[in-house]
Amino acid sequence: MHDSREIVLARLPSGVPIRTTVHVYGEGSLVDTEEGPELDVPDDGGPVVYAQAAQHGREVNGAAVLRRLHERLTGGDGEGDGGGSGDAVGDDVRGTLVSVPVADPLTFDHVSYTTPESLDSINANMNRCWPGDPDGTLHERMAARLWPFASAADAVVDLHTGSPTMLTHTVYMRGDEACRGLAEAFGTDLLLAEAAGDDADTEWAERDFGGKFRVAATREGIPTITPELAHSREVVEEAVETGVDGMVGVLRHEGVLAGDADPWAGTVARNHLGRVTAADSGLFRAEPDLAIGDEVADGERLGEVYDPTTFETLQVAEADRDGIVYSVARESTVTAGATLVGVAERITE
Ligand SMILES: [Zn+2]
């Protein structure tokens, strides 16, 4: 019920191929063609879910999630330390799961978010160029190689992680009920609804958010979510467990695994609004008791930015809306315009 193949995503200037591994579980299989391995799903093969991780290579917990999920589905071979949680559920697979643990080996090897400019100066961030272009830049070619696996799916999960000072959440396209349902099935307490296109703020276009994998797949009519697990750069047990539970919830929701996703009773808030930014450069001191997940009120004091040489307070940082604290700057040395605290505004829809 499990099959895997190495695929070539693109080649480096030296001719060295950029390789990664695709895994398939359940009724689908990988067939070798002249262009490399392709997904084959029987016509009556049931639902298909595609999951990938580490587009941003320093976000390593997603790759760890897919390994742990592999153990759950196959009943073993893996960490060998008892790290696998729960019983093997692989016998119940009624459709197909396709997973790519390392979508971007370039950023993975650099433990980075973007590639060095020398490799792709146009699309240094792989998550801005979907669905890619087989004749395009390096990242566009890599995306184009993965796209057929993703676009064959009925649901897509793009695993990411944030910093330890960011609340775990799942992003979906605002107003898309199928994406919302998938996000609820993944089950993080906080869901962030991101407006798209004409409904979005100007930052959306300026930062090429239309080229995000999630947005491109959603626009193809494939419900897609971006879970942001906590912690980049460090595999953290709690984040891995959250991710595996989320993936099992998604597989149940889609009917790939038997059973129902746990009912969800969390909070929906708006993405990309409510950032409290530094009005001037200096040292940021958050309020000592401020923690991610806190409810804050409009006007509430969140911290201060001060001049380290004169001790003068340059800015009292205050919440500009009622909401939930989902990030607090970890680095105290801030430049003007930097995000100090993210406050997600609760919405009901
Ligand atoms: Zn990311």
Side-chain angles (χ1 to χ4, degrees), residues 56 59 113 160:
H56 299 138
E59 301 176 12
Y113 182 72
H160 287 250

Side-chain angles (χ1 to χ4, degrees), residues 55-59 113 125 127 158-162 226-228 232:
Q55 276 203 83
H56 299 138
R58 69 186 183 196
E59 301 176 12
Y113 182 72
N125 183 346
N127 201 24
D158 188 23
L159 292 162
H160 287 250
T161 68
T226 308
E228 292 276 359
S232 292

Side-chain angles (χ1 to χ4, degrees), residues 92-94 251-252 255-260:
D92 301 330
V93 174
R94 287 181 298 191
L251 292 171
R252 287 180 171 149
V256 174
L257 290 178
D260 296 317

Side-chain angles (χ1 to χ4, degrees), residues 21-41:
T21 301
V22 178
H23 296 264
V24 173
Y25 307 83
E27 298 176 45
S29 59
L30 291 161
V31 292
D32 295 309
T33 73
E34 272 184 25
E35 281 78 43
E38 288 176 9
L39 178 65
D40 183 51
V41 178

